[in-house]
Amino acid sequence: MAHNTYAIGLDFGTNSVRALVVEVQTGREVGTSVFPYPSGQAGILLDDRDPDLARQHPADYLQGLETSIREALADAARHEGFAPERVVGLGIDTTGSTPIPVDAEGQPLAFDPRFRDNLNAYVWLWKDHTSHAEAAEITAHARATRPAYLAKCGGTYSSEWFWSKLLHCARIDPEVFDAAYTWVEHADWMPAVLTGTEHPHRLKRGICAAGHKALYHPSWGGYPDAEFLRGLDERLVRVRATLPETTYNTAQAVGTLTPAWAERLGLPAGLPVAAGAFDAHLGAVGSGIAPGTLVKIIGTSTCDLMVAPLDQDLADIPGLCGIVPESVLPGQYGLEAGQSAVGDIFDWFVRTIRPAGMDHDALTAAAERLRPGESGLLALDWHNGNRTVLVDQRLTGLVLGLTLHTTPAELYRAFVEATAFGARVIMERYEAYGVPVERIVNCGGISAKNRMVMQIYADVMGRPLMISRSTQTCALGAAMSGAVVAGAGAGGHASFAEAIEAMTGVQETVFEPIPAHQRVYDRLFALYRRLHDAFGVEGVSDDLYDVMKTLLTIRDEARR
Amino acid sequence: MAHNTYAIGLDFGTNSVRALVVEVQTGREVGTSVFPYPSGQAGILLDDRDPDLARQHPADYLQGLETSIREALADAARHEGFAPERVVGLGIDTTGSTPIPVDAEGQPLAFDPRFRDNLNAYVWLWKDHTSHAEAAEITAHARATRPAYLAKCGGTYSSEWFWSKLLHCARIDPEVFDAAYTWVEHADWMPAVLTGTEHPHRLKRGICAAGHKALYHPSWGGYPDAEFLRGLDERLVRVRATLPETTYNTAQAVGTLTPAWAERLGLPAGLPVAAGAFDAHLGAVGSGIAPGTLVKIIGTSTCDLMVAPLDQDLADIPGLCGIVPESVLPGQYGLEAGQSAVGDIFDWFVRTIRPAGMDHDALTAAAERLRPGESGLLALDWHNGNRTVLVDQRLTGLVLGLTLHTTPAELYRAFVEATAFGARVIMERYEAYGVPVERIVNCGGISAKNRMVMQIYADVMGRPLMISRSTQTCALGAAMSGAVVAGAGAGGHASFAEAIEAMTGVQETVFEPIPAHQRVYDRLFALYRRLHDAFGVEGVSDDLYDVMKTLLTIRDEARR
């Protein structure tokens, strides 16, 4: 034990931040702490007049950073052999694209008293969809002038992403936009804060956020060119000038912990801090991603990540959020797909619709007793738009098959099934474009907590589903990046491959598809796919007369 | 007061029976009583294995008849001038098609101990949809061999109707079918019981049930011919032989109260009892129906009734449930349309989904504050199939536009709006076939109780909506038929025209359409109509890509 070392992962989620202290040699999680963001509604600043708006307060991040690390260290201190001075590295993941407008010193505008009451000066959370018009504009402009830009991000630029948000801010709040020297992704700001490199001229930005959300790609020399941005809005060119040529992957350190932070946190001064990345990407690392392995991170939304060797002749994959070199692992393309809402849909049903006073457990228990198809329901999981493969926020949820006997449990199960169908669309898209899915590892809260959901996913996808051993794969992956930037010589790991071998694994339980269920779900999926295309794909004409009737036939057969 | 006389209306609904004592000269309602059926769930016998099944116990009808009349008379006794001997006639309405299998003496098989545990021997309630396969078979057979039959019932024979139910029983339970000498509509059985004419050879059947549900029409000599029925099932021919050539309208008495019933009920012996009719048809009478007046009876489902002079050259109207001479008023065609579920949908949402513990009042209060279009939701009101104009039980409810912010009140309002769109489809169908709607009178529980629903209907239909003065129009109409069969010489009325003039009226409040709301609802209705046709009409191909997007545009405009 005396030779064991530790790494810290900091995982900034949508509603809270978690710190995790992990043993580098084993992946054993020895200390953790979660800090819920105190501002707004569960950490999200909302506007009653605009359901698309979702902002955060950067002060929550700073408070959460300090509190969660100190508490996680205190938790770890109960373990024999642990000591803060044995921590060798620190890594960070966040949500994204979650850009923060900052001043010329790199300080968030939200801290400027002038903007205290202006939500546009706060953090623009990933799920903010106010910028859908600008996303459409960027997509159209790129389609006309830079088709290559779109080819790497699925054919459509999203309202959740960096340039949409900046352009929207420029249009609706020029005062904030002009006051912002530049915009920094949450994932880049946190490592900069800890290493004292927030100043825009010193700031190191990660390839993950840049590549997946800000149209950064080495093949065209980094961020989009000024002429392209000028075609959208002259003012974007000024921001472009603040962005660097070089970006960093999570095997690279952006600096070391400042003495001030070292003292505040009780950690060794000089501790290396890895470049930040998105939660899903480091979650995939914490789940042991490798070529052929699809990692599904199932939480409020999902990310469905794969990697493919940089030397593979990879086609552009329509509808994928991004194809970015080294955004997940060095030496590999990072491929990102995802569903805009999964757990969020179940939570909406439980918290907002509040059916019959049933919570998730009660609904799950009742839904688990239903046979596939017996409710006669079919839903589309688009309550928050569709990220993959349609890349369209202007879509909405649907449910059909309602009768006067439809129960809350049936609806709950229908929404679960809808997200499973959405997951299958993503898997099939990967495979159709030469990225075979040989193994599926799931992580995230829902995969750990809800066996019914996982069985339905296995049945719908027709594949065995594994569950990551860690229940905190994002924070674990972040800690692994800390171990990698520490390096083998300093008690860390020489590479992510080594870190994955030493620190990750899967649970014994594997969810195997049940053939009888698969047969029903194949029929339901065919109907789902038709509704998906009818409402989601331009120019598709379909005769849907048989849909309700086929659902009733399937229902009647299931009840027999 | 001393010259005033009274009539009794008996209204057998889906869950209860009401007796109403009405002053013949004024329509004043002096006594009433409601008896909820004690059996099953709110009076309906259900089968967990088959959500389509809905039966009733005939004993509930007998118990309810006696209890409700005795209590209504006791209630009336508090009024000065009332005395039981001043009751001059009695009329009856029931749900339908609600056929009862009876033995050779006219006694319901449900009373035979052999069949105590067999729901097929009980009353087949109108909303029983177990016979959808047989309905399709009858429709196909009629289309091929007797197209005239279908032309009078909207082009499709329904699973709710007489012959579908008989044929289904013959197929799935030959023992019950063989034990039934004949089948009697609930509306015909009740007058027969009171007048001692239950024996099949004495039984007088009403034109209303026969014409609207059993393919009876004078132009082809009454009930469908034996050859047609043989083409469906040889066994139906035996039942056909038990059916009479002549039928009766509600201005005709089937007999007089037996001495035994007179004594049990405390009513004059020899009291004339009118031929029975369906609740909606007598409800239309109680609402003051006349040519040009659409009477909407809005309850668990709706009926939308009109009349047109027998000498009008009336086209067959596709999708209408029926076009039957004298089914509503002597000298007029009775035209029946309707929605399979309206209040039932709202009740399903409140009682089964039970959102956030809100009842109808709480949901209405919250939904009333919403502006048209601002929820972004659009629903199809097909939770119990579609009666008019699609005549198809194999359809289901749909809602789209769901987001993570969708509230119970928004869903409630969307379901209300969906039923309003369904109502508009019916009105437009009448007008398209030469039956102009000059005046709309609403009655039924929802019209009396829920101002929000009525305002939405006015806004969606674009017409002023009146509300019947009586809140018990079905029972009132039944009592009016009692007054008419009594005749002017015996303290009744000489005709329905006289009875309508004396006994009906509308409330002062008229719901006027609000132009700004109409403009939004016209846009939503266009989308509703497209979904209606896409899922409900065979052979319609549509590109629905714009539907969700247009809803979001309407939502965004409504919130501005």
Side-chain angles (χ1 to χ4, degrees):
Chain A
M1 281 300 247
H3 297 293
N4 280 5
T5 54
Y6 300 88
I8 292 178
L10 262 181
D11 167 36
F12 288 88
T14 300
N15 310 109
S16 62
V17 53
R18 171 185 299 273
L20 185 70
V21 182
V22 188
E23 198 169 56
V24 167
Q25 288 69 31
T26 61
R28 191 164 65 111
E29 300 168 6
V30 299
T32 191
S33 173
V34 175
F35 176 85
Y37 303 141
S39 301
Q41 194 172 316
I44 306 175
L45 306 170
L46 302 171
D47 180 345
D48 283 346
R49 291 159 305 174
D50 186 351
D52 285 333
L53 187 143
R55 305 285 155 83
Q56 291 195 318
H57 198 317
D60 289 359
Y61 302 156
L62 296 178
Q63 194 186 345
L65 155 66
E66 183 169 349
T67 307
S68 65
I69 289 185
R70 291 172 66 100
E71 290 184 0
L73 289 173
D75 188 28
R78 299 177 304 131
H79 281 261
E80 199 184 334
F82 175 81
E85 53 270 28
R86 298 197 66 78
V87 175
V88 297
L90 187 151
I92 297 171
D93 71 78
T94 73
T95 69
S97 174
T98 301
I100 311 171
V102 301
D103 65 18
E105 303 301 313
Q107 292 305 306
L109 294 189
F111 294 154
D112 184 334
R114 277 196 298 159
F115 295 117
R116 181 181 305 175
D117 298 326
N118 186 341
L119 286 179
N120 298 324
Y122 283 70
V123 183
W124 292 51
L125 186 61
W126 67 273
K127 64 157 82 173
D128 185 291
H129 290 140
T130 52
S131 315
H132 50 78
E134 289 78 11
E137 188 180 340
I138 294 171
T139 299
H141 183 50
R143 192 166 290 151
T145 66
R146 301 287 187 281
Y149 287 5
L150 292 182
K152 300 295 178 206
C153 68
T156 307
Y157 196 79
S158 164
S159 65
E160 291 186 1
W161 297 350
F162 189 80
W163 293 109
S164 300
K165 285 168 169 163
L166 269 63
L167 185 54
H168 186 63
C169 183
R171 296 270 165 77
I172 59 135
D173 199 336
E175 194 189 346
V176 163
F177 189 81
D178 291 345
Y181 175 79
T182 191
W183 294 65
V184 182
E185 282 283 351
H186 186 195
D188 297 330
W189 191 63
M190 299 317 308
V193 164
L194 285 173
T195 58
T197 58
E198 309 100 300
H199 193 287
H201 296 167
R202 301 183 62 203
L203 184 75
K204 292 179 175 169
R205 297 181 189 247
I207 179 68
C208 183
H212 283 287
K213 310 298 180 186
L215 295 175
Y216 179 99
H217 200 276
S219 68
W220 53 77
Y223 287 96
D225 63 83
E227 188 194 333
F228 173 77
L229 294 173
R230 187 171 294 118
L232 292 165
D233 195 304
E234 175 67 38
R235 294 170 292 177
L236 294 178
V237 179
R238 178 182 61 73
V239 177
R240 171 67 180 84
T242 67
L243 301 177
E245 284 187 25
T246 309
T247 55
Y248 295 81
N249 67 47
T250 53
Q252 296 174 296
V254 300
T256 58
L257 203 59
T258 65
W261 274 110
E263 188 173 334
R264 277 167 76 180
L265 299 173
L267 285 171
L271 188 74
V273 177
F278 290 145
D279 39 16
H281 294 65
L282 281 168
V285 171
S287 300
I289 196 165
T293 295
L294 168 63
V295 173
K296 290 182 62 63
I297 302 167
I298 310 178
T300 54
S301 60
T302 75
C303 273
D304 297 60
L305 285 136
M306 298 195 73
V307 295
L310 284 182
D311 56 11
Q312 178 177 337
D313 184 16
L314 194 65
D316 296 326
I317 307 180
L320 247 68
C321 314
I323 303 172
V324 176
E326 309 203 325
S327 67
V328 177
L329 290 177
Q332 304 276 342
Y333 286 110
L335 309 176
E336 186 192 342
Q339 293 172 264
S340 305
V342 172
D344 268 351
I345 296 177
F346 316 153
D347 279 346
W348 158 78
F349 192 59
V350 168
R351 293 186 193 168
T352 304
I353 304 306
R354 291 168 53 201
M358 295 167 88
D359 61 12
H360 285 293
D361 289 345
L363 286 164
T364 297
E368 203 158 18
R369 287 194 293 272
L370 299 168
R371 277 158 294 183
E374 84 161 272
S375 72
L377 296 173
L378 183 65
L380 288 175
D381 51 323
W382 298 349
H383 294 56
N384 195 25
N386 177 294
R387 194 183 294 156
T388 308
V389 296
L390 299 172
V391 201
D392 188 349
Q393 293 304 336
R394 302 287 281 176
L395 295 172
T396 52
L398 173 154
V399 58
L400 60 76
L402 297 168
T403 74
L404 298 173
H405 301 280
T406 298
T407 65
E410 288 175 334
L411 283 167
Y412 190 74
R413 188 174 175 117
F415 290 127
V416 170
E417 290 168 347
T419 65
F421 297 138
R424 178 164 164 179
V425 170
I426 290 172
M427 178 183 75
E428 293 187 349
R429 178 59 55 102
Y430 273 125
E431 298 212 303
Y433 283 82
V435 186
V437 176
E438 291 153 5
R439 181 172 170 267
I440 304 178
V441 180
N442 298 273
C443 59
I446 289 172
S447 69
K449 281 187 291 198
N450 196 313
R451 296 175 56 87
M452 177 190 75
V453 171
M454 294 319 299
Q455 186 59 53
I456 289 173
Y457 274 53
D459 293 340
V460 166
M461 300 175 81
R463 303 293 177 93
L465 296 187
M466 284 176 278
I467 310 293
S468 171
R469 189 178 63 201
S470 172
T471 57
Q472 308 301 338
T473 45
C474 300
L476 172 60
M480 289 163 69
S481 75
V484 170
V485 296
H493 286 294
S495 67
F496 272 110
E498 268 186 26
I500 284 171
E501 174 71 23
M503 298 174 78
T504 71
V506 296
Q507 297 181 12
E508 266 184 39
T509 305
V510 175
F511 293 89
E512 295 284 350
I514 298 166
H517 293 185
Q518 276 181 268
R519 283 191 290 275
V520 175
Y521 281 132
D522 282 347
R523 295 168 73 189
L524 293 176
F525 179 70
L527 297 175
Y528 172 92
R529 192 65 218 228
R530 284 174 58 204
L531 293 179
H532 175 284
D533 292 354
F535 288 100
V537 179
E538 202 164 1
V540 171
S541 271
D542 193 4
D543 177 355
L544 299 170
Y545 177 72
D546 61 305
V547 172
M548 289 178 180
K549 288 160 175 38
T550 305
L551 283 170
L552 290 173
T553 302
I554 293 170
R555 177 195 76 174
D556 295 346
E557 290 172 12
R559 291 187 178 188
R560 235 171 247 152
Chain B
M1 282 302 247
H3 296 293
N4 280 5
T5 53
Y6 300 87
I8 292 178
L10 263 181
D11 167 37
F12 287 88
T14 300
N15 310 108
S16 61
V17 53
R18 172 185 297 275
L20 185 70
V21 182
V22 189
E23 198 170 57
V24 168
Q25 287 70 28
T26 61
R28 193 164 64 111
E29 299 168 6
V30 299
T32 191
S33 173
V34 174
F35 177 84
Y37 304 141
S39 301
Q41 194 172 315
I44 306 175
L45 306 170
L46 302 171
D47 181 344
D48 283 345
R49 291 159 304 175
D50 186 351
D52 286 332
L53 186 143
R55 305 284 156 84
Q56 290 194 319
H57 198 317
D60 289 359
Y61 302 155
L62 297 177
Q63 194 185 345
L65 155 67
E66 182 168 350
T67 307
S68 66
I69 289 185
R70 291 172 65 100
E71 290 184 359
L73 289 172
D75 189 28
R78 299 176 304 131
H79 281 261
E80 199 184 334
F82 175 81
E85 53 270 28
R86 299 198 67 78
V87 175
V88 298
L90 187 150
I92 297 172
D93 71 79
T94 72
T95 68
S97 175
T98 301
I100 311 172
V102 301
D103 64 18
E105 304 300 315
Q107 292 307 304
L109 294 189
F111 294 154
D112 184 333
R114 276 196 298 158
F115 295 118
R116 181 182 305 176
D117 298 325
N118 186 343
L119 286 178
N120 297 324
Y122 283 69
V123 183
W124 292 51
L125 187 61
W126 65 275
K127 64 157 82 175
D128 185 291
H129 290 140
T130 50
S131 315
H132 50 79
E134 289 79 9
E137 188 179 340
I138 295 171
T139 299
H141 182 51
R143 192 166 291 153
T145 64
R146 300 287 188 282
Y149 287 5
L150 291 183
K152 301 294 179 207
C153 67
T156 307
Y157 197 78
S158 164
S159 65
E160 291 185 2
W161 297 350
F162 188 80
W163 293 109
S164 300
K165 285 169 168 162
L166 269 64
L167 185 54
H168 186 63
C169 182
R171 295 271 165 77
I172 58 136
D173 198 336
E175 193 189 348
V176 164
F177 188 82
D178 291 345
Y181 175 79
T182 191
W183 294 65
V184 183
E185 281 283 351
H186 186 194
D188 297 329
W189 191 63
M190 299 317 308
V193 164
L194 285 173
T195 58
T197 58
E198 309 100 300
H199 193 287
H201 296 167
R202 300 183 61 204
L203 184 74
K204 291 180 176 170
R205 297 181 188 247
I207 177 68
C208 183
H212 284 286
K213 311 297 182 187
L215 295 176
Y216 179 99
H217 200 277
S219 68
W220 54 76
Y223 288 95
D225 62 83
E227 188 193 333
F228 173 77
L229 294 174
R230 186 172 294 116
L232 293 165
D233 195 305
E234 175 67 38
R235 294 170 292 175
L236 294 178
V237 179
R238 178 182 61 72
V239 177
R240 172 66 181 86
T242 67
L243 301 177
E245 285 188 24
T246 309
T247 55
Y248 295 80
N249 67 48
T250 53
Q252 297 173 296
V254 299
T256 58
L257 203 60
T258 65
W261 274 109
E263 187 173 334
R264 277 166 78 180
L265 299 173
L267 284 172
L271 188 74
V273 176
F278 290 146
D279 40 14
H281 293 65
L282 282 168
V285 171
S287 300
I289 197 165
T293 295
L294 168 63
V295 173
K296 289 182 63 63
I297 302 167
I298 311 177
T300 54
S301 61
T302 74
C303 273
D304 297 62
L305 284 136
M306 298 196 73
V307 294
L310 283 182
D311 55 11
Q312 178 177 336
D313 185 16
L314 193 66
D316 294 328
I317 307 180
L320 248 66
C321 314
I323 304 173
V324 176
E326 309 203 325
S327 67
V328 177
L329 290 178
Q332 305 276 342
Y333 286 111
L335 309 176
E336 185 192 343
Q339 294 171 262
S340 305
V342 172
D344 267 351
I345 296 177
F346 315 152
D347 279 346
W348 158 78
F349 192 58
V350 167
R351 292 185 193 169
T352 304
I353 303 305
R354 291 169 53 201
M358 295 168 87
D359 61 11
H360 285 293
D361 289 344
L363 285 165
T364 297
E368 203 158 20
R369 287 194 294 271
L370 298 169
R371 276 157 294 183
E374 85 162 272
S375 72
L377 296 173
L378 183 65
L380 288 175
D381 51 324
W382 297 349
H383 294 56
N384 195 26
N386 177 293
R387 193 184 295 157
T388 309
V389 297
L390 300 172
V391 201
D392 187 348
Q393 293 303 337
R394 301 286 283 176
L395 294 172
T396 51
L398 173 154
V399 57
L400 60 76
L402 297 169
T403 74
L404 298 173
H405 302 279
T406 298
T407 65
E410 288 175 335
L411 283 168
Y412 191 74
R413 187 173 175 118
F415 289 128
V416 169
E417 290 168 347
T419 65
F421 296 138
R424 177 164 164 179
V425 170
I426 290 173
M427 179 183 74
E428 293 188 350
R429 178 59 55 102
Y430 272 126
E431 297 213 303
Y433 284 82
V435 186
V437 175
E438 291 153 5
R439 181 173 170 267
I440 304 178
V441 179
N442 298 273
C443 59
I446 288 173
S447 69
K449 281 187 290 197
N450 196 313
R451 296 175 56 87
M452 177 189 75
V453 171
M454 294 320 297
Q455 185 60 53
I456 289 173
Y457 274 52
D459 293 339
V460 166
M461 299 175 82
R463 304 292 177 95
L465 295 188
M466 284 176 279
I467 310 293
S468 169
R469 190 176 64 200
S470 171
T471 57
Q472 307 301 337
T473 45
C474 299
L476 172 60
M480 288 163 69
S481 74
V484 170
V485 295
H493 286 294
S495 68
F496 271 110
E498 268 187 25
I500 284 171
E501 174 71 22
M503 298 175 78
T504 72
V506 294
Q507 295 181 14
E508 266 183 40
T509 304
V510 175
F511 292 89
E512 295 284 350
I514 298 167
H517 292 185
Q518 277 182 268
R519 282 190 292 275
V520 175
Y521 281 131
D522 282 348
R523 296 168 72 189
L524 293 176
F525 179 70
L527 297 175
Y528 172 91
R529 193 65 219 226
R530 284 174 58 205
L531 292 179
H532 176 284
D533 291 354
F535 287 100
V537 179
E538 203 164 2
V540 171
S541 271
D542 193 2
D543 177 356
L544 299 170
Y545 177 72
D546 61 305
V547 172
M548 289 178 180
K549 288 160 175 39
T550 305
L551 283 170
L552 290 173
T553 302
I554 293 171
R555 177 196 76 175
D556 294 346
E557 290 171 13
R559 292 188 178 189
R560 234 171 249 153

